[in-house]
Amino acid sequence: MFKRIMLRFRDMKTISKLISGAEEQAHINGKEEPGAEHFVLSALNLDDGSAKRVFERMDANAEKFKSAISQQYTDALSSIGFDNVNEISSEAIQSNKIFHNSQPSGQTLVKSLYTLKQRDKHRPLLSAHVISVASEMEYGVVARAFRAMGVDSKQLARLIKEELESQH
């Protein structure tokens, strides 16, 4: 019983760090609310390091992920005739919000994370769990970024599973 309470307390601390990190990433990118891509970037900075190790085993890192995201916007603008968009960049914003919210993709990711933790109650919430639920998203910025990075979904699932099993 005590172990279970400690595990929940640890998970709450991880969620808190994940959300604040996602908001920070969103604000750096000029967004008011974080999307799933900001949660992935936040997960790559969490202390447990499991998401970062999974990315490293795929020869990827946060910078490659950010580049894949940026390339999507460049390609989208180019497709409608805006080829020289290198000079356009979003400005970081400051936010003093007390209540947290996120973009629909961020909400979907957090709900999926909650569902995953309901099935996996005996292990602490790790950053690799975040990558796991993000990798299951078929559409959106994260899915396109993973495709642009050449991420093989089966390989990613295997690496996440191996990482999570090594933590148990």
Side-chain angles (χ1 to χ4, degrees):
M1 179 73 170
F2 181 70
K3 183 179 177 185
R4 199 165 150 187
I5 292 170
M6 292 303 293
L7 189 60
R8 285 191 178 207
F9 181 70
R10 181 178 170 182
D11 288 352
M12 288 186 321
K13 284 177 60 177
T14 301
I15 287 287
S16 177
K17 288 180 181 177
L18 176 68
I19 291 171
S20 64
E23 287 182 336
E24 182 180 333
Q25 292 294 328
H27 295 164
I28 289 170
N29 290 319
K31 307 279 188 213
E32 183 73 28
E33 298 174 339
E37 66 275 21
H38 303 114
F39 282 92
V40 170
L41 289 169
S42 177
L44 292 169
N45 290 321
L46 288 179
D47 294 336
D48 70 77
S50 60
K52 190 174 181 181
R53 284 190 294 277
V54 168
F55 262 48
E56 287 171 350
R57 291 180 66 193
M58 295 186 313
D59 196 29
N61 56 38
E63 292 307 315
K64 285 185 178 180
F65 186 69
K66 287 179 188 176
S67 292
I69 293 168
S70 178
Q71 189 62 46
Q72 291 176 48
Y73 293 113
T74 301
D75 291 347
L77 289 171
S78 180
S79 72
I80 57 172
F82 294 100
D83 289 325
N84 259 341
V85 293
N86 293 336
E87 298 169 12
I88 299 173
S89 64
S90 54
E91 292 185 27
I93 61 170
Q94 298 277 332
S95 178
N96 297 324
K97 288 183 0 182
I98 295 173
F99 298 105
H100 302 283
N101 203 357
S102 61
Q103 296 175 18
S105 65
Q107 293 174 16
T108 299
L109 185 139
V110 172
K111 287 177 186 172
S112 297
L113 200 54
Y114 175 78
T115 302
L116 183 140
K117 277 304 294 171
Q118 292 300 305
R119 293 189 316 253
D120 189 4
K121 293 181 178 179
H122 303 292
R123 208 179 344 215
L125 177 64
L126 299 172
S127 57
H129 286 114
V130 178
I131 303 302
S132 177
V133 295
S135 71
E136 293 173 2
M137 299 175 98
E138 293 182 45
Y139 306 102
V141 174
V142 172
R144 288 190 302 267
F146 282 162
R147 281 193 292 272
M149 293 169 56
V151 171
D152 177 341
S153 61
K154 289 181 181 175
Q155 178 192 17
L156 178 58
R158 182 181 52 80
L159 293 173
I160 291 169
K161 183 179 178 191
E162 289 174 5
E163 180 65 31
L164 292 173
E165 288 175 354
S166 74
Q167 300 293 316
H168 196 57

